[in-house]
Amino acid sequence: MSSVAIHSDHEMQHGFHGPEKGLMRWVMTTNHKDIGTLYLWFSFMMFLAGGSMAMCIRAELFKPGLQFFEPGFFNQLTTMHGLIMIFGAVMPGFVGLANWMIPIMIGAPDMALPRMNNWSFWLLPFAFTILMSTLFMKGPAPDFGWTAYAPLSTTYGPKSTDFFIFSIHLMGLSSIMGAINIIATILNLRAPGLTMMKMPIFVWTWLITAFLLIAVMPVLAGAVTMMLMDRNFGTSFFNAAGGGDPVMYQHIFWFFGHPEVYIMILPSFGIMSEIIPTFSRKPLFGYTSMVYATSSIALLSFLVWAHHMFTTGIPVIGEIYFMLATMLIAVPTGVKIFNWVATMFRGALSFETPMLFATSFVVLFTIGGFSGLMLAMVPADYQYHDTYFVVAHFHYVLVPGAIFGIIAATYYWLPKWTGHYYSETLGRIHFWLSAIALNVLFFPMHFLGLAGMPRRIPDYALEFADFNRIASIGGFVFGASQLLFLYIVIKAVRGGPKAPDKVWEGAHGLEWTLTSPPPYHSFSTPPQVN
């Protein structure tokens, strides 16, 4: 049965037919595919909004001097860009993919808690409306960076900071409900015979990610609640004059913030572990080690938070511990990279658009990992801290890592979702524009940072002008190329070459490699199904 037929069957079961198929279908739906679609479209809208702010930032930095914005508004843009991209674009994008694919991959009829699924999505548009409305309030919007360090956000934060705090609470509530739903679905609704160690890697990565979300979102909620108390109720959690400590905020925030980085990358690891075997026509190399590596990364992510704080004056023994623990994360990450390369090794490779994005993910994410190792070294970090080297590092991890992961997954599963193939030619053009522009945009930032250019400033010394101009041109091209992606998706949704039930079989032969691990006929003994 084709995916389109499955979708329409599901609609009939849920009562969406006739005149009710309108706006209310999307508002009231409990269908995991509809909710996944809502998440993905919301994610893309936020991606364009956050990307537009990035374009404004790069326009300001195109040459030295103040061109368009006052420094205060520039700081509001950088704050809003970070918040929107992390909480509005990347996380909802991955939750949308989880909603669409996890029930299908484990043979479940729907998510375990469908009404809560609906609610967890509809919190997000309200949360981001509140957040972005601060740009239009009397007085400045939040201007303290997405990290909201005290005392910039407490003693000196603008009045709109309270709206920022409320929106963060709503986003956190949405994330926790989504994570509970995913865990309940995976643990309780698997098809008979589908043991944990036979689940696709994408399902595994999301199970681990969901536990991370439940562990760390309350920590963020606690931090912003303490901010709220300091601002409005006379407490002094982060106020040194009242016996508090602003550095305590950093400890609490980064105990959330570092696992959050892995929340934004682990689902991408799962996506790559689905795409690479398909286009290599080989089973995934080292399935068990992939599961254990993912679990190790998640565990270690809780033990390294203070590597963001080397310049705050923590004891030397603490610096040594956090330096070594940070370097240790490179081991399970290296295992995953090795397994992907080993999967491709001597495979019958073909480079359709999803595979192009997947291979670029492996290469560019590795570059981001190497600059992360540089930042892990305490003496070097003193020089790199708060320069554009850090900006280059986390964008090399998150743009090829998270954004390319979501794009690759969209190309990979879009024929399954819509029943239509996308335009392969346009997809490849989109890839090459994105990949080249991304490197033109972010690679010069390494040199800017090593030369000493500080981040979050709208003006800079003349010697930084050339690299900034190159980066801005790359940024404009990268931003414009995402409009081509929008066109490709809409074109596929509206029609195109019809996709068969086994989407990649016609072009790629071995449909069974869509699952990881592959079904029993690739091994010696079949699974026992009662």
Side-chain angles (χ1 to χ4, degrees), residues 102-125:
I102 287 175
I104 294 172
M105 285 179 160
I106 65 173
D110 204 303
M111 298 294 281
L113 305 159
R115 289 178 187 239
M116 193 168 83
N117 205 13
N118 176 288
W119 188 28
S120 65
F121 168 75
W122 282 110
L123 281 172
L124 288 178

Side-chain angles (χ1 to χ4, degrees), residues 75 79 141-149 152-153 157-158 161 164 227 456:
N75 287 340
T79 302
D143 55 0
F144 32 66
W146 83 274
T147 52
Y149 278 0
L152 289 175
S153 57
T161 305
F164 154 82
M227 275 172 55
R456 293 179 179 163

Side-chain angles (χ1 to χ4, degrees), residues 146 216 252-262 264 305 308:
W146 83 274
V216 303
I252 298 168
F253 178 85
W254 285 116
F255 191 78
F256 148 80
H258 199 78
E260 166 65 22
V261 173
Y262 290 94
M264 290 192 285
W305 76 90
H308 298 270

Side-chain angles (χ1 to χ4, degrees), residues 255-455:
F255 191 78
F256 148 80
H258 199 78
E260 166 65 22
V261 173
Y262 290 94
I263 287 165
M264 290 192 285
I265 202 66
L266 290 183
S268 249
F269 289 170
I271 290 162
M272 297 309 133
S273 301
E274 304 299 324
I275 293 174
I276 290 173
T278 299
F279 296 95
S280 304
R281 297 171 182 79
K282 279 176 63 186
L284 180 69
F285 181 91
Y287 171 89
T288 308
S289 64
M290 280 293 214
V291 173
Y292 285 116
T294 308
S295 307
S296 305
I297 290 168
L299 184 66
L300 288 168
S301 72
F302 285 98
L303 307 177
V304 298
W305 76 90
H307 67 213
H308 298 270
M309 301 169 54
F310 283 149
T311 59
T312 58
I314 54 179
V316 172
I317 189 69
E319 289 182 335
I320 292 169
Y321 160 74
F322 283 108
M323 175 172 72
L324 295 176
T326 304
M327 291 179 176
L328 194 60
I329 286 194
V331 176
T333 309
V335 168
K336 297 180 87 69
I337 301 285
F338 175 82
N339 285 5
W340 291 325
V341 173
T343 303
M344 288 188 269
F345 180 65
R346 300 188 73 175
L349 296 172
S350 64
F351 290 94
E352 279 71 26
T353 309
M355 186 61 165
L356 288 172
F357 276 101
T359 46
S360 71
F361 166 97
V362 174
V363 173
L364 298 175
F365 181 80
T366 304
I367 293 173
F370 281 133
S371 60
L373 276 174
M374 294 169 69
L375 287 163
M377 295 181 229
V378 178
D381 186 80
Y382 271 86
Q383 308 303 317
Y384 306 144
H385 190 80
D386 265 344
T387 71
Y388 262 80
F389 190 86
V390 178
V391 180
H393 159 68
F394 68 69
H395 281 93
Y396 257 95
V397 172
L398 287 175
V399 180
I403 302 291
F404 273 22
I406 294 169
I407 292 172
T410 303
Y411 280 119
Y412 185 56
W413 285 315
L414 195 63
K416 202 75 175 167
W417 297 341
T418 64
H420 302 287
Y421 282 115
Y422 59 87
S423 167
E424 186 63 43
T425 304
L426 290 178
R428 291 178 189 217
I429 292 170
H430 172 230
F431 165 74
W432 286 110
L433 281 173
S434 296
I436 294 168
L438 180 145
N439 285 286
V440 173
L441 167 57
F442 295 120
F443 206 79
M445 291 183 187
H446 292 100
F447 305 127
L448 288 169
L450 292 173
M453 179 174 168
R455 59 194 282 205

Side-chain angles (χ1 to χ4, degrees), residues 50 62 81 132-133 165 168 207 262 326 359 428 447 483 503:
F62 190 79
H81 166 71
M132 295 173 76
S133 70
I165 291 169
I168 291 288
L207 179 65
Y262 290 94
T326 304
T359 46
R428 291 178 189 217
F447 305 127
L483 298 175
V503 169

Side-chain angles (χ1 to χ4, degrees), residues 169-212:
H169 274 302
L170 290 179
M171 295 171 209
L173 188 60
S174 169
S175 293
I176 289 168
M177 288 197 295
I180 290 169
N181 208 348
I182 286 165
I183 291 169
T185 304
I186 295 170
L187 296 186
N188 294 306
L189 296 185
R190 295 195 309 282
L194 183 63
T195 61
M196 296 289 278
M197 293 308 287
K198 287 178 185 156
M199 295 194 309
I201 289 285
F202 179 71
V203 179
W204 259 114
T205 53
W206 244 116
L207 179 65
I208 293 163
T209 301
F211 278 110
L212 280 179

